[in-house]
Amino acid sequence: MPAISFFIEAVSYNLPQKLKVKKWLKAVIEKEGFKLQELNFIFCSDEYLLGINQQYLNHDTYTDIITFDNSEVEKQIVSDIFISIERVKENAKTFKTLEFDEVCRIMIHGTLHLLGYKDKGKAAKTLMTQKEDEYLGYRSESGLI
């Protein structure tokens, strides 16, 4: 059964409006012509995500998100997405936006990677940002904003 799940590791966080967030993300996945199988969001601390970055990607840097695509069938989503809540809160302050809006932006960013969008290079990054903005606008259809 297709599912989006939320987990917490090494941080205290409660995602607001979980059911509406799930509806929104499923709608984006379907609009892009993909099928949802399993999508896990793991909200964690900076240190927890740094450990994952070091262990699996050999990067010794803090980041706000790491997306693992575990799909074995084309156009089907099976993934674990790790999000540093500490980075999200810092980003929200830096960009003068609400924490919930920043969490949604990071969640859709990771989902877009699973849908084939990249963010390396100027053109790819521009398209990724355009898609983030477009799909953030779809939140109202799910009753999120």
Side-chain angles (χ1 to χ4, degrees):
M1 176 184 265
I4 296 175
S5 301
F6 305 105
F7 301 95
I8 307 296
E9 288 291 341
V11 72
S12 177
Y13 181 70
N14 186 24
L15 178 69
Q17 305 183 64
K18 288 180 182 76
L19 293 177
K20 290 178 181 177
V21 169
K22 288 179 182 185
K23 181 180 173 186
W24 166 58
L25 291 168
K26 285 178 186 177
V28 169
I29 290 166
E30 290 170 5
K31 181 166 178 36
E32 288 284 332
F34 281 69
K35 186 173 174 91
L36 174 66
Q37 293 300 317
E38 181 180 11
L39 181 52
N40 299 311
F41 288 93
I42 302 95
F43 300 109
C44 58
S45 67
D46 271 349
E47 292 302 318
Y48 188 90
L49 196 53
L50 176 62
I52 289 172
N53 212 3
Q54 292 166 333
Q55 182 176 355
Y56 294 100
L57 303 176
N58 294 318
H59 297 158
D60 194 21
T61 55
Y62 290 99
T63 186
D64 49 11
I65 186 170
I66 296 177
T67 302
F68 291 101
D69 185 349
N70 304 317
S71 303
E72 295 180 0
V73 177
E74 191 174 329
K75 295 270 194 177
Q76 288 191 5
I77 302 296
V78 178
S79 177
D80 296 312
I81 298 178
F82 292 81
I83 297 174
S84 167
I85 290 303
E86 291 167 298
R87 287 298 95 222
V88 166
K89 289 179 178 183
E90 189 65 33
N91 289 348
K93 286 180 189 172
T94 300
F95 300 121
K96 296 178 175 44
T97 187
L98 299 173
E99 284 180 18
F100 182 69
D101 289 343
E102 187 62 19
V103 167
C104 288
R105 179 174 294 280
I106 297 300
M107 289 172 62
I108 201 62
H109 181 88
T111 303
L112 286 168
H113 276 303
L114 298 170
L115 301 173
Y117 294 94
K118 309 289 183 210
D119 57 4
K120 301 293 184 229
K122 186 174 174 129
K125 189 173 177 80
T126 298
L127 178 59
M128 174 69 88
T129 301
Q130 287 173 348
K131 283 294 188 179
E132 287 173 10
D133 292 341
E134 175 186 344
Y135 287 131
L136 284 168
Y138 282 17
R139 292 181 299 167
S140 59
E141 293 176 17
S142 300
L144 273 175
I145 56 172

